[in-house]
Amino acid sequence: MADELAGRKLDALVVTAPPNIRYLCGFTGSHGLLVVPAAGEPVLYTDPRYEIQAGEEARCTVKVTKKSLIEAAARDMSRRRSWRRIGFEAGSMRYADYAALRHALPSARSLEPQTDLVEKLRLVKSPAEVETIRRSMAIAAEAYRRVVGSLRPPVRETEVAAELDHQMRQLGAEKPAFETIVLFGERAALPHGKPGPRALSMGDLVLVDLGAVLDGYTSDMTRMAVAGKPTERLRRLYQLVLEAQRAALEQLRPGVAASAVDRAARRSLERHGLADCFVHSTGHGVGLEIHEAPRLGKREKVRLKAGMVVTIEPGIYVEGWGGLRVEDTVVVTSNGYDILTPLGKELTVL
Ligand code: ZN
Ligand code: ZN
């Protein structure tokens, strides 16, 4: 962190994004502000509701205040006469807090908007972080295993989603990593659809996209099932999605551009005239947030490094018919990749 601040010629950074606060000092409360100096110990500001929790969690000085956190931090910062350039997180500081900070600091101090400073540190996961994501993924996969095999008409999408969430918590998850997606039949054409009252009927596709949160770390997977015997068309299209996923996975190793991974999946579908049906990027980073860097998209130049954790999730969507997606959470290793989703990829026939 000291190197990053020095590289950007900052005397301190005001951290306001909760995942970044958690990453840097361990505090998991929802109301905190962290000031990280270029030299010396960071200070966490929080309110009395979090006093005990911050004392237990934070690996830094903690200041509890009944005032606004930004005002308390600004007062302390204005006393640090040597601090000339103070960075703040452009993506998460509220405008009202920025205005209060500007107002409280002498005009000679410059406030410098920063993007992706802490996020860059979070890109490469430590072995301990990878293990936590692996355990988080194992919980989601086990919930899927417990629930999906026994689905029968006329169960509703919302009931299945509720049961998956229940099982994840029973298995030790803090919560679902995002609103669990369960879509039947033609509704599977919505890549980020919400479960609704739709009842399962024979012949329906079942798309399930879920992830857990464990010790703050998320995971993400998508699997497909079908109620009754799949049609030839469905079998064929499913194989093509699997092929696209394999093509993308084969690209994964250190040094490869994120865009090359995306291109591999896209080309694979293109060969079968399905490029237009693939309407999102091939994957995204997974960590303290469910969508974080690096994004595996067409124009992403980031080069992969060992320790990056990403999803590989090509899909095809056809309005009025349905959609197919297969998604794994994967860690890039020194010579390739390791799939963290412990579940086969065959189309489950219900
Ligand atoms: Zn997903
Ligand atoms: Zn995903």
Side-chain angles (χ1 to χ4, degrees):
M1 188 65 182
D3 290 349
E4 278 72 24
L5 293 183
R8 299 189 189 203
K9 298 193 169 53
L10 296 173
D11 298 307
L13 176 71
V14 180
V15 183
T16 42
N20 290 345
I21 293 174
R22 177 175 191 151
Y23 183 78
L24 292 172
C25 80
F27 178 62
T28 67
S30 62
H31 193 218
L33 182 149
L34 186 71
V35 175
V36 184
E41 204 185 345
V43 180
L44 173 73
Y45 296 85
T46 188
D47 71 67
R49 291 173 303 164
Y50 291 109
E51 185 165 4
I52 298 171
Q53 187 183 333
E56 287 170 358
E57 291 177 344
R59 304 178 295 264
C60 64
T61 305
V62 176
K63 289 199 177 180
V64 177
T65 176
K66 288 181 182 158
K67 286 207 202 122
S68 90
L69 305 187
I70 196 75
E71 279 170 25
R75 195 175 349 95
D76 288 351
M77 284 192 277
S78 63
R79 291 194 194 111
R80 304 284 196 130
R81 291 177 186 282
S82 63
W83 290 9
R84 293 281 156 207
R85 285 168 51 87
I86 297 170
F88 67 93
E89 296 190 300
S92 65
M93 183 176 278
R94 294 186 311 165
Y95 181 74
D97 286 345
Y98 172 82
L101 187 59
R102 183 66 279 171
H103 182 74
L105 290 176
S107 57
R109 311 286 186 92
S110 68
L111 287 175
E112 305 287 337
Q114 304 296 313
T115 47
D116 295 341
L117 196 157
V118 184
E119 284 79 358
K120 273 197 183 132
L121 299 176
R122 286 168 43 197
L123 268 173
V124 171
K125 273 69 180 173
S126 69
E129 287 178 292
V130 172
E131 277 322 298
T132 308
I133 297 171
R134 190 191 297 275
R135 289 192 294 126
S136 166
M137 189 76 271
I139 288 174
E142 178 59 20
Y144 180 92
R145 223 178 270 124
R146 288 185 182 183
V147 172
V148 173
S150 57
L151 297 184
R152 295 291 175 268
V155 70
R156 293 176 193 282
E157 291 170 353
T158 44
E159 291 174 305
V160 181
E163 188 54 28
L164 287 164
D165 292 353
H166 174 73
Q167 290 298 335
M168 283 197 278
R169 286 205 137 158
Q170 289 286 348
L171 289 159
E174 283 162 36
K175 58 182 178 182
F178 50 90
E179 204 174 329
T180 299
I181 299 173
V182 177
L183 299 168
F184 296 157
E186 72 295 337
R187 284 174 41 76
L190 308 164
H192 264 188
K194 258 168 93 85
R198 167 76 145 82
L200 185 66
S201 49
M202 286 314 279
D204 272 350
L205 272 175
V206 176
L207 183 150
V208 177
D209 186 345
L210 82 168
V213 179
L214 184 72
D215 295 338
Y217 285 84
T218 62
S219 52
D220 196 359
M221 59 171 270
T222 305
R223 288 292 184 271
M224 302 290 314
V226 58
K229 199 173 175 295
T231 61
E232 261 321 297
R233 182 189 188 196
L234 172 57
R235 279 200 181 283
R236 198 182 110 76
L237 289 174
Y238 187 74
Q239 286 311 314
L240 297 180
V241 173
L242 280 184
E243 235 177 79
Q245 205 217 19
R246 210 173 308 127
L249 286 168
E250 278 167 8
Q251 292 295 315
L252 292 176
R253 63 190 167 277
V256 169
S259 57
V261 181
D262 181 73
R263 202 179 316 122
R266 228 163 273 286
R267 287 223 172 119
S268 171
L269 291 169
E270 218 169 64
R271 255 177 258 130
H272 304 281
L274 293 168
D276 292 343
C277 303
F278 180 26
V279 296
H280 51 74
S281 55
T282 296
H284 53 86
V286 167
L288 287 171
E289 289 176 280
I290 185 64
H291 290 118
E292 57 179 55
R295 205 170 76 87
L296 304 180
K298 261 183 203 167
R299 277 172 284 277
E300 304 297 318
K301 296 191 183 74
V302 180
R303 302 243 164 218
L304 299 180
K305 287 185 184 159
M308 285 183 177
V309 176
V310 294
T311 67
I312 300 292
E313 51 175 310
I316 53 173
Y317 308 91
V318 180
E319 198 180 345
W321 177 76
L324 296 169
R325 175 165 73 250
V326 175
E327 174 179 30
D328 288 309
T329 297
V330 176
V331 59
V332 180
T333 61
S334 57
N335 54 4
Y337 64 93
D338 182 10
I339 296 186
L340 302 179
T341 312
L343 202 61
K345 286 184 247 202
E346 60 289 345
L347 182 63
T348 307
V349 178
L350 302 173

